[in-house]
Amino acid sequence: MKIKHINVHVIKSELEVPFAFSQGWVNQRAATLIEIITNEGITGWGECFPQGLEPPEIAAAAVENCFSEILKNQNPLDTERLWFEMYNGSRDFGRKGSVMAAISGIDIALWDIAGKFYNKPVSQLLGGAFRETVQPYATGFYRIKGQGESSRLAEEALSHYEKGFRLMKIKLGFGLQDDMAVMRAIQESISGLGVTLMVDTNHAYGRRDALTLGHKLSEFDLRWYEEPVVPEDLESYAELRRSLPMAIAGGENEHGLYGFKSLFAAGAVDTAQPDIGSCGGFTSARHIVTLAQAFGVEINPHVWGSAIAQAASLQLIAALPVSHHSIFSRQPILEYDQSAHPFRRELAEDPIEIEDGLVTIPSRPGIGISVNKKTIERFKR
Ligand code: CA
């Protein structure tokens, strides 16, 4: 089998109501989708995750200008070899950011092809599924004005609860006072309902404020405190982890085996959050998962992409060993973004559903998704 064509689809849609996280306003949703066509009629799909507010065209340019030539006429089943050819071929200008997102999207598509070729879900190729279902958590609580929205956000918590979510992640990083007003309003609205909260500041603060917020948040029994400081500041990560009672999480802005090695060696996180669409795809995720085992770090993937990234993440989650085994081990959870997204569900013929509070992990071949090409045509730019 040989790779014949690599199609890159950049799709976009303006949002009717822009929303904010601590680093800026999201005015549109976008995705860089990778379609790899083989000479044997098997097509694989992947997605490059646009980091933060990254324009999707950057990863698209990396695929088209750096990697298409490396991949043409190669055997798509050589996932490990091709990953290293792409990584070594882009080391001097890549290693992180959009170039790694480009490798990630391609790698996901190659694993999708492999699954379809062997007629197995990717989780089987990764070594087998530890679980068939996963509990989703609602990522939401974005801002429409910016500050002073605690009563609206408290109502939002109830709407997630009604959809079946028992885990929720609150976006913070809008000033310590506003953050605490939001937390108290949400806590009051869900009091007694058995909801576990996490928080994410998207590295809004420096070490001092991040510590102050962490101490104030200790009353909420959080599952984790995510991206408290900028991803480069591993010393502050380590200090927060030593000083605060809750688990520290991060890693959505880290990439590859070598990036995560630095994160783990610094003692920066309890929970690492590689995003399959930017950490380097399944191949890289597998490296990172093994390394995390050696460091005693939990892995809980970051997921903010469209239906293709969600499907790929579900396969990775299925095959994730827990880091601290017991008969009642804490299991990985699925990040399920609840912010406005005009084409996330429409991109899959069979979008993920929550039933009895759980998402069933597909056992169809590859990443287990049928891509709706009409949606791509509709949003293609
Ligand atoms: Ca995050």
Side-chain angles (χ1 to χ4, degrees), residues 1-282:
M1 184 160 55
K2 285 183 176 169
I3 295 170
K4 290 321 283 180
H5 300 288
I6 301 174
N7 297 326
V8 185
H9 306 281
V10 171
I11 57 175
K12 286 186 188 181
S13 179
E14 295 297 316
L15 290 177
E16 276 174 31
V17 183
F19 62 85
F21 65 116
S22 75
Q23 299 304 301
W25 289 92
V26 179
N27 297 306
Q28 65 169 21
R29 296 310 288 257
T32 312
L33 307 180
I34 308 297
E35 178 186 24
I36 298 184
I37 297 168
T38 64
N39 65 339
E40 292 194 10
I42 297 177
T43 295
W45 287 93
E47 177 172 350
C48 315
F49 173 60
Q51 222 67 53
L53 299 166
E54 173 190 333
E57 293 84 358
I58 309 178
V63 174
E64 283 167 345
N65 298 295
C66 307
F67 301 127
S68 282
E69 225 23 64
I70 293 177
L71 296 165
K72 211 149 191 204
N73 292 321
Q74 298 286 326
N75 182 348
L77 303 177
D78 289 357
T79 47
E80 191 82 19
R81 180 178 69 79
L82 293 174
W83 191 92
F84 276 97
E85 297 222 353
M86 291 189 283
Y87 188 81
N88 291 335
S90 60
R91 173 175 277 113
D92 291 358
F93 54 88
R95 301 200 307 273
K96 303 212 185 241
S98 306
V99 176
M100 278 297 268
I103 292 177
S104 308
I106 291 167
D107 183 83
I108 293 168
L110 295 178
W111 280 84
D112 189 31
I113 290 170
K116 288 167 177 165
F117 178 80
Y118 294 116
N119 201 29
K120 301 284 180 200
V122 169
S123 64
Q124 180 73 72
L125 306 187
L126 292 170
F130 288 88
R131 52 195 70 80
E132 287 161 4
T133 57
V134 57
Q135 193 180 3
Y137 74 85
T139 289
F141 308 96
Y142 296 87
R143 308 306 157 83
I144 295 169
K145 290 184 295 186
Q147 293 181 322
E149 300 184 65
S150 57
S151 55
R152 182 183 66 78
L153 297 170
E155 279 171 33
E156 183 183 328
L158 287 176
S159 77
H160 297 319
Y161 179 84
E162 275 155 24
K163 284 186 199 159
F165 288 105
R166 297 295 175 270
L167 295 156
M168 302 175 194
K169 190 165 79 187
I170 322 292
K171 286 287 173 187
L172 298 180
F174 296 84
L176 298 185
Q177 228 178 348
D178 193 77
D179 288 351
M180 289 310 293
V182 166
M183 289 303 290
R184 293 203 172 107
I186 290 171
Q187 178 78 341
E188 204 181 302
S189 75
I190 55 160
S191 166
L193 295 178
V195 173
T196 299
L197 299 179
M198 294 152 273
V199 299
D200 181 5
T201 70
N202 294 95
H203 53 76
Y205 302 123
R207 186 187 301 201
R208 174 58 51 206
D209 284 350
L211 262 175
T212 302
L213 179 64
H215 285 298
K216 286 177 188 288
L217 291 171
S218 59
E219 66 184 87
F220 294 103
D221 200 17
L222 301 175
R223 175 150 169 163
W224 69 58
Y225 176 10
E226 179 172 327
E227 284 208 298
V229 291
V230 290
E232 302 92 322
D233 189 2
L234 298 181
E235 294 81 6
S236 291
Y237 258 103
E239 187 184 332
L240 287 157
R241 192 174 170 220
R242 280 192 302 270
S243 307
L244 295 173
M246 72 284 278
I248 300 296
E252 68 181 79
N253 288 303
E254 196 46 83
H255 308 265
L257 180 63
Y258 312 105
F260 279 86
K261 177 186 154 198
S262 305
L263 199 69
F264 298 163
V269 292
D270 298 281
T271 302
Q273 301 169 298
D275 188 302
I276 196 158
S278 73
C279 75
F282 283 109

Side-chain angles (χ1 to χ4, degrees), residues 282-301:
F282 283 109
T283 300
S284 208
R286 201 162 59 154
H287 301 158
I288 294 161
V289 167
T290 305
L291 189 69
Q293 282 282 327
F295 277 94
V297 170
E298 279 187 30
I299 294 279
N300 208 114

